[in-house]
Amino acid sequence: MPLTPLDIHNKEFGRRLRGYDEDEVNEFLDQVIKDYEALIRENKDLQNQILNLQEKLNHFANIEETLSKTIIVAQEAADEVKGNAKKEAQLIIKEAEKNADRIVNDSLMKSRKVSLEVEELKKQASIYRMRFRTLVEAQLELLSQDGWDKLESASSSLSIEHSSR
């Protein structure tokens, strides 16, 4: 058990012949008591400071641990968001590619249909032209036949007879 200032104060030494000067010993012991008390107070203050610093250190260690966990959670969340964004982007790209393929295929089908319709219209126009030419040629042939001259002369004689009456 460590010495206390009271132990030093209460310590009594036996007396002998040719012993130390009692006042000098008491003075020295008083000085030792004061210094020892100061050391004890300083030691207590230092222990209190150590406790305070230890509490602060624990507090900051807890904050550090919390921040580390928060950073890890934030990183995981960011990675998850990034992964989800990539997946969503891939889905959007696939959907856009499907739509583009569908649009291209629809356009090709419409183009083929229009092309077929154009070819059909060209055929019909050619047939119509040929029929019209044949009709015109037949009409011209009819007009160039001799029968028209006879009709004209017969019609003029009829009109002369009709007017003479």
Side-chain angles (χ1 to χ4, degrees):
M1 177 171 204
L3 268 177
T4 65
L6 191 59
D7 291 336
I8 296 171
H9 180 67
N10 291 334
K11 177 67 177 167
E12 292 201 18
F13 296 97
R15 296 187 188 234
R16 291 193 184 181
L17 194 61
R18 295 175 120 223
Y20 293 108
D21 180 358
E22 191 177 327
D23 289 337
E24 205 176 305
V25 169
N26 284 335
E27 245 177 68
F28 180 74
L29 285 177
D30 287 341
Q31 184 63 41
V32 168
I33 290 171
K34 284 180 190 174
D35 290 349
Y36 194 66
E37 283 177 342
L39 287 174
I40 288 174
R41 270 193 303 277
E42 184 181 348
N43 191 14
K44 239 182 197 178
D45 289 344
L46 290 173
Q47 285 178 349
N48 286 336
Q49 281 181 348
I50 288 172
L51 284 176
N52 286 336
L53 292 174
Q54 188 63 45
E55 285 176 13
K56 286 180 181 179
L57 182 64
N58 290 341
H59 176 72
F60 288 123
N62 287 337
I63 289 174
E64 180 185 17
E65 183 180 344
T66 302
L67 286 174
S68 293
K69 287 179 181 177
T70 303
I71 288 170
I72 289 170
V73 168
Q75 184 64 45
E76 288 172 352
D79 290 344
E80 186 177 337
V81 167
K82 190 176 176 182
N84 288 340
K86 281 184 180 179
K87 287 178 186 176
E88 190 173 339
Q90 288 172 345
L91 288 174
I92 289 170
I93 288 170
K94 284 181 183 178
E95 188 67 28
E97 287 173 348
K98 275 186 199 176
N99 285 339
D101 285 346
R102 183 184 48 77
I103 290 169
V104 167
N105 288 337
D106 287 351
S107 297
L108 284 173
M109 283 178 26
K110 287 178 183 176
S111 172
R112 285 184 194 125
K113 186 177 177 182
V114 167
S115 184
L116 289 173
E117 288 175 0
V118 165
E119 286 300 316
E120 183 63 28
L121 287 173
K122 284 180 181 178
K123 285 178 189 176
Q124 288 177 4
S126 178
I127 291 170
Y128 175 76
R129 208 166 115 211
M130 218 172 26
R131 286 183 181 168
F132 192 66
R133 179 180 290 139
T134 305
L135 178 66
V136 168
E137 287 174 355
Q139 294 298 319
L140 283 173
E141 190 177 310
L142 275 174
L143 287 174
S144 62
Q145 288 179 356
D146 291 338
W148 284 101
D149 292 336
K150 290 179 188 173
L151 258 175
E152 271 184 21
S153 55
S155 130
S156 25
S157 27
L158 278 177
S159 58
I160 294 175
E161 283 177 16
H162 191 332
S163 46
S164 52
R165 287 189 191 175

